[in-house]
Each structure stands twice: as structure tokens, then as C-alpha cells.
Amino acid sequence: MNQDLISSILDLISKMVFPFLGTTEIIAQPRAYWDNSYTIWLIFSIIFFVGILLVGIYIVIRYRYVKGKNEEGAHIEGNTALEVVWIAIPTILALFLATLSFANFMYQRTLPADALEVKITAFMWGWEIEYPNGKVVSTYFNTEKPFEKDDSEKFYLPVGKKIKVLLSSRDVIHSFYVQPAMITEDAVPGRITYMWFQINKEGEYYAFCREYCGSWHSYMIAVLKVVSEEEFNKWLEQK
Amino acid sequence: MEERAEDLEPGITSEGTSEESRHQHKEVKPWYSGGLKDWIFTTDHKKIGILYFFTSFIFFLLAGMMGMLIRYELTNPGIQLPSIAGQEGADLYNYLLTGHGTLMLLWWAVAVWTGAFGNFLIPLMIGAKDVAFPRLNAFSYWVFLGASVMVLLTAIPGNWIKMLWTAYPPFASNPNAGPVAYYSIIILLYGIAATAGSVNFVATIISMRTKGLSFRKMNLFTHTILGANLIQLFGVPSFLGAVTLLFLDRYIGTNFFNPEIGGDPLLYQNIFWFYSHPAVYVMMLPAFGIYSEVIATMSRKPIFGYVSMVLAIYLIALIGFLVWAHHMFAAGIPDWARVLFSYTTILVGVPTGIKIFNWLATMYKGAIRLTAPMLFVLGGLFMFLIGGLTGVLLSMVSANLGLTDSMFVVGHFHYVLGMSVTFAALAGILYWFPKVTGKMYNEKLGVWSFIFAFIGSNIFYFFQTFSGTLGISRRYADYPNILEWVLINQIQTFGSVLLFVGIVLFLINIIVSLRSGQKAPKNPWHSPSLEWSATDTPVMSNNFKKDHIEIHKDWHPYAYYKGYHEHF
Ligand code: HEM
Ligand SMILES: [Cu+2]
Ligand SMILES: [Cu+2]
């Protein structure tokens, strides 16, 4: 194996396992709340994992079968005090993590008052967005260039502004996943669901469909084009 | 009677009668004797268990091949699979994914326990001659085989079912989903077989234990099979209900799930997951049972905290029914329900955690033999630890909103179900290989197959799991050409190939050992558990020599400690 491959694999691992590192500024919300739940879970998990692994490896090596020396196990059938301890600790930890996630969830799900409200409708296999002034943009899958969109199909959004999304679907269940914001909500036919997000840096971002919806499920993307507020307003006024 | 005394293992007393010795002369054949006709018309739990085993294992291999084809598709961006019969490569992918998921879950991870291991072992472990309803048992297998044959016919182009194993409406009533009626009938047959099986096991374990074998002396594997079958008994009807309603919606024009005429698609998800979540414990609990059997035997220690191990089994089975909505965290259910189910879900982690600690404590101060089955069990525990910890993250609703339907979920359940369950099954196959065949497996091949499978699956599933945190979605035939994503997928494929090699070595081991394995001693693991200590190796058709085996008051299936043998 060459040096490059190894370093890019290490790079990859650090990016996947520690996704909250590296980005000093938070480029999208409510990502911070996801990061927070994830980080604290990761710390607990690594401690638990390494602890159990080390104890396990120690036991297997220390108490392995040796002919003539260690052939029979000791007669230990239980220890109530010990069991109470290791029932109590995980219970407390579990309740702590669930409560932490509850707190973060409140932020993720509470709609901001000062938001730009858009309606997004899903269909097989594309998306349609309707802005407050009635402007509608729709995007449709394209097998020729599946992950690129013409400018006319991009969903323009103002940078740094909270976006409130009312979601629905015209046919089957789809799911709107705003990748930089780490937030998903299903678009269910016959229902209106909601979510909010905010992107703090200009650029283009993907929103993927995350509920399986047939042949071109993987090409059902929307490109979110995040631009300055002025540019957005100018674009919004064009017919 | 005197001269047969030495046949008896410690703890088992004989109640010989002259009637019983007459039986003996008639039935000394090993269980597998008999021609084709005997096999077809058999009602013997051991033969039915083996029939189930072969069907299940063949479908495991088939689904594994489908998995490899899925990996082939995902190794590079773009559609790789050929269009067959005018249907796009992406459609073939969706068919393969549907098949892989359904077969791995229902035909392998569920059926291998309830059908194969349970059938062969449970009567032996509880000292019974057969299951409670032997004919129902045979019926169950043949219905299962019918469903299996129907599955094979879906491979015909035009017959592809492409709605994934979850079959969510209203997609399921879209022409793009494939033949839903066909799917419903397969699942209904499967469900009939499963229900017949679970009725049988519950009745057998409750009412056919030999005298003296109280619930506190039952093997943990038997407890887990009872737990799993109780779940089946209560859960399968709801699954069949969901599928039946789907069928009616599509073909009779009812509107349970069709939102256009007042139906509710989320109703399906509630009914479906009410079974399908507990179903993961149908797969997991017997794996726990095998961990317990193998760890106690190979460490030569009684199970640490037997009573809490048993309670944990039934607690898991019970809480399993209270968490289904964690599959719907982003599906538009009310926020309070999401929080409530987040708490119940995370609490299932506790009884499972207890089991891990108790297994470690069982090994503590033991005399651990690192045989191939023990390695598979330790590897399975390692996988389960990662699977359990990633499960805790998924049950945290705030984290779930960013990870649902991503590769993180797929990696998580491959750790838990894919490998933890599969390693347990492979461990079980090796551990009871002598009992079934009368021959020993090949230790070297066993160890090598473990090494390949363990390293391969960890490379594969580690990258699969955490690739979800980068935003990679599941059930995608294609993905954008982002350099990192391509690299991640190629590493996964490398891992899956190592895993594949491990499984092939395992298969070679089975075949080689069947043909030319060493003759097995009667009780190679020196286990007091009844299936070893009270039967011949391989088992005779009549299971036990005596009609009534009776258990000594100090007998326990895990009495491994020093001094036990002198005790009697
Ligand atoms: C040779 C071994 C295996 C390989 C190569 C493999 C590969 C895969 C791949 C690539 C996916 C697709 C993920 C996605 O795009 O959503 C998948 C899905 C899945 N696998 Fe496996 N897998 C293997 C073993 C197993 C086992 C042993 C089980 C269970 C006992 C299992 C259960 C599943 C399930 C339930 C799905 C989800 C299908 C769906 O999305 O509906 N797999 N597998
Ligand atoms: Cu979609
Ligand atoms: Cu679940």
C-alpha cells in the first residue's frame, strides 16, 4: 500500500468519525444540535467500547485454558452487588443521553418566527418549491447528468436566513434531507410536515430524497443555491 | 440394569423398564437414516430441523451473492448493472436490494433459529422425544418451502419485486413497485409457516420438559427460543395484517393506506414495525442463547447471574414491542411520540448491556478454550458491542433526524443482525456439528474462516456505518462522483470480498468435515447439558435411550465448575 492511500484513508476516518471537527464555523443549522448529541454520544461510546474491549482481551488472555495448569473454571455463579452496579450505571447513562437528545430535539423542531416560508412538494422523481410571492421552481431527475442541475432548476435561498419548509408529496412518500444541516423530514402524501434549516455560507448544496421511491430514487436531488440576500431578492422578482 | 450404569452421565438417573429395553433393540439407527421417502414424510424434529437448515443456508448464500452484486454496483459511481429485458440497471439493483434484505432477514436470520436450530436442539435440550405437534411441524416446513420456491420465481424479469423489504405504501401500490400480490402471497405463506412453528415451540417448551427440568434449569438457548417464539406468536399476525391490507388496497380497491381517498400511509408503517421491530429480537435473542451456551462451555464456568440473564431475555422481548415508532422518527408523527419512543428505545440498551457484562463475568476466572466456535462467539460479541453502541445513537431522536435512512443505519444493522447474528449461527453450526453428523469439524479451517470473516466484515461495516455521517443515503443505486464517497465505497467492497472468502472457507470446512472429518467423541465439550450428556453422538432416532429421563436434583446445564463430577 502506498503512503498516499493510507493517509487519505486516515483522513477519511477522521472526517467520518469526528464530523464535528474541522469546521470552525457552523455552516448550517440546526446542524449544531445534531453535532452536540453526536459528540457526547461518541465520547461515552469510546469510553465504553475501549473499556469493555480491554477487560475482554485481558480476561481471554489471563484465563485461557492451559493443559495441566488451568483446566477448570472457578465456581462463581453471581454477585448481586456487582449486578446492581452494572444495571444502575447504564440506566443512568441511557436516561442522560435520551434527555440530552430531547433538549436538542426541541431546538431542531421549534420553528423560528422570523423565517422565510417555502412550500416544497415531492413527486416521482423531483421536487417543486413555491416561494411566498408565488414563484415556483421545479427540478426533475435527469439520467444524462444525474447530479448536475441547470441554473433554472436550482432552488435559490438567501444566506444566513432561517428557512421554514412545509413539505408534502404528490404521489408516494419521499424524504427531504438537507445534507449540510443534517436534518430530514418525510414528505407524506395527504399530510403537511414541516422542518427548518439555515445555511450560513454561499454556495451550492445538495438536498437528497431519503425515502425509497422507485427506479430513480438516487437521482431525486435538489440543488440549493445559497446566495446573498440582495441577489436572492433580485432573482425572486424575475418571472 | 447394572451394566448400563456407566452409560449414564452424572446427574441423569435411569428409570429403566423392560419395556424400554425392547424399544432399544428396534431403534438404534442414527437420526439421519432412511431414504428419500422417509425424509419427505418425516415428522421427526431433527430431520425437519435439517431440512429447514439447508433451505435457510442456501438462501443465506443466495442473499450473500445478491449483496456482492449490490457491492459491485456501488463500487463506482454510475450504473454498472446491465439492463435486463429492457429493465434498467437501477431496477435490477432495486430488485437485488429487495431480495437481499427480505431473504437475509426472514429466510436466514429468523428461520435459521426458529426453523433449524430450534427444531433440532430444543427437544434434545429439554429431554423430549419430539415437539408437541410433529405433523404441524412438518406442515410448517413444507409451507416455508413453498414460499421459498415462489421467491426463486421472482427472478424472472417482469416479475421483479422492487419495493424493498419494507414495502411502504403508497409506493407499494405504484406500478414501479412490481407484483405486490405475489409478494403478499409469499409473505402470507411465510407467516403461516412461522405461526405454526411458534405455536409448536411455545407448547413444546412449556409442556414437554422432562421431569425435574424447571424453568430455572433450562438452557439459556431454550429460554431465548421461547422468548423469540412468543414474539413471533404476538407479532407475526400484525405483519400479515399489514400485508393483507396492502393486497386488498391494491386489488380490491379498499383504501386503508391510500391518502387520495382518505387512507393513511403511516398506518401501514405502524402496523408493519409493530412486528418488524420485535422481529429483530427474534433474530437476536437466539444468538444471545448461543453466546451463553458456547461461552459457558468453553470457559468451563457456570453462567454468571443466570437469573438476571433469563429475566433480561423476557424483558427485551417485552420492551421490544414498545419501541416500533423509532423507525418513524422523521415520518411526520407528533413530536411528543418521537420523544417518548426515544426513551423506550434507549432503555432496551440496558438489559442488553447487562448481558454483555454477565458474559464477561462468566469468562472471568474460567479456563477459556479458544476453539473456532468460541472465536466466532467472541467476534460476534465484538460486533454486537459496536452495533449496540451505534444503536444508542440512532435511538437519540435528535441524532436520528440526521441519520435516518442513511448508510449509518445500514452499517448499524449489519453489525447487529448481519454479523452478530450470523457469527452466532456459524458458531452454533460448528459447536453442534459433532452432535448432528458424528464427526468433528476442521479446527484450522474454522479459525481461518473466522479470521477472514472478522477482518473483512469490520472493514466493510465500519466504513458503511460512518459513511452515513458524511451524508451518504441508503438504497441508492448511484451516487455523485465525490472523491471521498468513491474511496469509501471501494474500501467497503474490499472488506466484503474478505468476508466472502471467509464464508467460502466456512463452507469448505463443512463439506470437507462431512466427508472426512474425524469421528466425534460422545461429548466432545464435556458438557452436562442434556443434548450432549444424555444422547448419543450422533443422536439416535429416538433421541434418548430411555422413555423417561429424569434429572438429578443437583443437575444444571452449566455445572462446569471443578468438583461437579465428584459430586455424584
Ligand atoms: C455477504 C454479506 C453481505 C453483503 C455483501 C451485504 C451488502 C449489503 C449492501 C451493500 C446493502 C445495501 C445498503 C443500501 O444501499 O441500502 C445491504 C442491505 C441490507 N442488508 Fe446486507 N450484506 C451482507 C450480509 C447481510 C446479512 C447477513 C444480513 C442480515 C442477516 C443483511 C441484511 C441486510 C438488510 C436488511 C439490508 C437492507 C435492505 C433494504 O434497504 O431494504 N445483510 N447489504
Ligand atoms: Cu423520493
Ligand atoms: Cu427497531
Side-chain angles (χ1 to χ4, degrees):
Chain A
M1 244 193 258
N2 66 30
Q3 210 60 36
D4 270 3
L5 186 61
I6 292 175
S7 69
S8 52
I9 290 177
L10 290 180
D11 217 45
L12 203 63
I13 293 181
S14 74
K15 246 195 192 149
M16 292 189 305
V17 181
F18 309 103
F20 48 87
L21 293 182
T23 41
T24 38
E25 39 157 6
I26 291 168
I27 60 162
Q29 287 295 15
R31 162 106 201 197
Y33 308 107
W34 183 86
D35 274 350
N36 181 273
S37 292
Y38 179 84
T39 312
I40 292 174
W41 164 81
L42 190 69
I43 293 169
F44 279 121
S45 295
I46 289 179
I47 295 173
F48 245 74
F49 178 71
V50 173
I52 291 179
L53 195 64
L54 290 182
V55 171
I57 290 174
Y58 171 78
I59 290 178
V60 170
I61 292 175
R62 169 71 181 74
Y63 298 109
R64 73 191 182 285
Y65 172 87
V66 184
K67 205 171 159 70
K69 268 204 192 130
N70 185 22
E71 293 191 343
E72 289 294 332
H75 183 190
I76 309 172
E77 288 194 348
N79 180 332
T80 313
L82 210 56
E83 286 195 271
V84 169
V85 171
W86 70 45
I87 292 170
I89 292 176
T91 310
I92 294 168
L93 276 180
L95 290 175
F96 170 75
L97 288 175
T99 307
L100 173 87
S101 119
F102 182 12
N104 284 318
F105 177 73
M106 293 309 287
Y107 291 110
Q108 288 167 309
R109 293 292 298 164
T110 306
L111 284 176
D114 54 338
L116 170 75
E117 185 176 310
V118 298
K119 294 181 184 139
I120 292 183
T121 310
F123 53 90
M124 287 160 87
W125 291 276
W127 303 95
E128 186 182 279
I129 186 169
E130 188 188 330
Y131 292 90
N133 70 348
K135 177 161 176 158
V136 172
V137 177
S138 74
T139 180
Y140 198 55
F141 84 103
N142 180 348
T143 51
E144 298 298 310
K145 44 180 181 86
F147 298 103
E148 285 162 46
K149 296 283 174 195
D150 291 335
D151 223 39
S152 62
E153 281 192 56
K154 289 176 184 160
F155 293 0
Y156 277 65
L157 293 172
V159 69
K161 180 121 179 121
K162 295 192 166 66
I163 317 289
K164 172 177 161 188
V165 186
L166 297 179
L167 274 167
S168 195
S169 166
R170 224 163 260 161
D171 37 46
V172 306
I173 300 175
H174 302 270
S175 190
F176 193 67
Y177 167 58
V178 183
Q179 195 203 359
M182 272 317 235
I183 193 88
T184 318
E185 192 72 21
D186 283 5
V188 186
R191 286 188 186 218
I192 293 169
T193 55
Y194 70 88
M195 70 192 284
W196 73 269
F197 68 93
Q198 167 187 351
I199 299 179
N200 295 328
K201 199 170 157 210
E202 292 181 27
E204 295 193 357
Y205 303 88
Y206 282 127
F208 294 99
C209 174
R210 261 200 173 167
E211 188 66 64
Y212 176 76
C213 57
S215 299
W216 303 115
H217 168 53
S218 52
Y219 294 164
M220 190 174 153
I221 56 160
V223 169
L224 311 178
K225 182 161 179 163
V226 178
V227 296
S228 69
E229 188 121 24
E230 303 88 75
E231 194 182 342
F232 171 74
N233 286 332
K234 230 173 70 199
W235 173 84
L236 194 61
E237 292 316 314
Q238 292 164 7
K239 277 291 148 192
Chain B
M1 288 285 74
E2 297 298 350
E3 74 280 10
R4 293 210 301 110
E6 80 259 17
D7 276 7
L8 298 171
E9 283 289 309
I12 317 249
T13 52
S14 129
E15 269 200 351
T17 60
S18 55
E19 227 232 324
E20 161 240 324
S21 41
R22 244 192 7 227
H23 268 277
Q24 248 194 327
H25 288 292
K26 274 194 295 184
E27 302 186 45
V28 285
K29 288 190 191 141
W31 67 274
Y32 49 75
S33 61
L36 187 62
K37 212 172 134 201
D38 283 296
W39 277 84
I40 293 176
F41 293 102
T42 188
T43 56
D44 178 1
H45 70 97
K46 301 183 287 303
K47 286 193 168 116
I48 292 170
I50 291 300
L51 288 172
Y52 254 118
F53 174 77
F54 273 101
T55 317
S56 186
F57 200 75
I58 285 168
F59 277 85
F60 168 64
L61 296 176
L62 191 73
M65 304 291 257
M66 288 172 153
M68 295 309 288
L69 284 174
I70 295 170
R71 284 295 345 144
Y72 165 73
E73 170 61 61
L74 293 177
T75 306
N76 291 299
I79 301 283
Q80 262 72 233
L81 290 169
S83 325
I84 296 179
Q87 284 173 312
E88 300 283 350
D91 273 345
L92 176 55
Y93 177 88
N94 295 335
Y95 166 65
L96 290 172
L97 198 51
T98 307
H100 173 79
T102 314
L103 296 181
M104 280 295 190
L105 293 174
L106 298 179
W107 265 254
W108 172 243
V110 170
V112 78
W113 299 134
T114 56
F117 279 92
N119 254 318
F120 198 97
L121 291 172
I122 292 302
L124 300 182
M125 280 185 172
I126 63 173
K129 290 253 161 194
D130 207 324
V131 292
F133 312 110
R135 287 196 199 157
L136 188 64
N137 201 21
F139 170 79
S140 154
Y141 173 73
W142 293 104
V143 174
F144 174 71
L145 187 70
S148 311
V149 172
M150 284 185 72
V151 165
L152 295 178
L153 298 179
T154 64
I156 300 165
N159 221 4
W160 294 347
I161 299 168
K162 300 171 293 178
M163 56 189 180
L164 280 311
W165 76 279
T166 47
Y168 279 3
F171 181 71
S173 24
N174 187 288
N176 197 274
V180 179
Y182 198 80
Y183 165 87
S184 314
I185 292 167
I186 292 176
I187 297 296
L188 285 170
L189 286 181
Y190 183 93
I192 290 167
T195 308
S198 53
V199 166
N200 222 332
F201 280 114
V202 171
T204 305
I205 296 173
I206 290 181
S207 69
M208 297 191 51
R209 279 166 294 130
T210 192
K211 201 173 154 208
L213 188 69
S214 67
F215 273 111
R216 302 190 63 154
K217 289 192 170 185
M218 226 156 75
N219 286 68
L220 285 176
F221 183 70
T222 313
H223 274 295
T224 58
I225 289 284
L226 178 56
N229 281 292
L230 285 170
I231 296 176
Q232 289 285 80
L233 206 55
F234 290 105
V236 169
S238 103
F239 184 31
L240 297 189
V243 171
T244 308
L245 299 185
L246 206 61
F247 181 91
L248 295 178
D249 260 17
R250 175 83 184 262
Y251 297 97
I252 315 289
T254 56
N255 53 18
F256 293 102
F257 306 134
N258 187 349
E260 274 166 36
I261 31 182
D264 181 2
L266 295 191
L267 176 63
Y268 174 88
Q269 294 185 20
N270 278 304
I271 310 175
F272 175 83
W273 287 115
F274 185 76
Y275 167 69
S276 294
H277 182 80
V280 306
Y281 300 108
V282 177
M283 311 170 204
M284 213 52 238
L285 285 178
F288 289 166
I290 287 192
Y291 292 166
S292 300
E293 300 298 321
V294 173
I295 286 177
T297 308
M298 296 299 170
S299 315
R300 312 221 48 84
K301 281 266 313 281
I303 285 285
F304 185 94
Y306 174 88
V307 174
S308 50
M309 291 296 260
V310 173
L311 291 179
I313 292 167
Y314 295 105
L315 205 61
I316 291 170
L318 186 72
I319 309 181
F321 278 104
L322 305 176
V323 303
W324 74 89
H326 65 213
H327 295 274
M328 302 163 67
F329 276 154
I333 59 171
D335 287 352
W336 62 263
R338 305 189 201 193
V339 172
L340 182 69
F341 280 97
S342 173
Y343 274 94
T344 54
T345 303
I346 214 162
L347 284 175
V348 196
V350 176
T352 3
I354 296 171
K355 297 191 77 84
I356 293 190
F357 293 131
N358 282 27
W359 285 318
L360 283 180
T362 303
M363 291 193 288
Y364 175 73
K365 291 209 168 163
I368 303 169
R369 289 160 172 77
L370 288 177
T371 54
M374 185 64 172
L375 286 178
F376 273 107
V377 163
L378 293 176
L381 267 187
F382 175 90
M383 304 299 274
F384 185 71
L385 185 57
I386 301 179
L389 290 171
T390 50
V392 167
L393 183 68
L394 289 173
S395 57
M396 295 168 67
V397 58
S398 60
N400 188 288
L401 292 185
L403 293 171
T404 181
D405 274 313
S406 79
M407 277 299 186
F408 192 93
V409 177
V410 181
H412 154 73
F413 69 65
H414 275 104
Y415 267 111
V416 186
L417 300 176
M419 284 306 126
S420 198
V421 167
T422 299
F423 279 7
L426 301 184
I429 292 169
L430 297 182
Y431 181 77
W432 283 291
F433 192 80
K435 182 92 283 169
V436 177
T437 64
K439 295 186 173 166
M440 291 305 288
Y441 63 85
N442 182 313
E443 187 70 43
K444 265 220 178 80
L445 272 172
V447 172
W448 277 109
S449 64
F450 167 74
I451 290 174
F452 272 94
F454 183 73
I455 294 178
S457 54
N458 273 294
I459 293 176
F460 180 11
Y461 298 130
F462 177 82
F463 283 88
Q464 186 166 57
T465 308
F466 285 92
S467 70
T469 61
L470 293 179
I472 304 184
S473 299
R474 74 193 275 209
R475 297 171 165 180
Y476 271 20
D478 194 4
Y479 51 88
N481 192 353
I482 300 172
L483 213 66
E484 282 171 357
W485 292 25
V486 181
L487 183 59
I488 291 172
N489 272 297
Q490 292 179 344
I491 297 171
Q492 284 180 48
T493 304
F494 171 70
S496 73
V497 171
L498 294 187
L499 170 59
F500 189 77
V501 172
I503 303 290
V504 170
L505 286 178
F506 190 89
L507 204 63
I508 293 175
N509 188 0
I510 298 287
I511 295 168
V512 168
S513 308
L514 264 178
R515 300 188 57 181
S516 52
Q518 275 183 342
K519 193 174 169 344
K522 175 170 184 286
N523 188 349
W525 314 121
H526 306 286
S527 165
S529 180
L530 289 188
E531 87 277 19
W532 289 111
S533 61
T535 68
D536 283 323
T537 295
V539 202
M540 292 295 133
S541 327
N542 58 350
N543 289 2
F544 302 94
K545 290 201 187 78
K546 295 158 283 296
D547 283 338
H548 306 281
I549 64 163
E550 200 173 293
I551 283 165
H552 190 283
K553 70 176 181 6
D554 289 332
W555 175 87
H556 197 278
Y558 305 117
Y560 284 107
Y561 44 88
K562 199 170 179 169
Y564 171 76
H565 291 282
E566 292 93 77
H567 206 70
F568 294 96

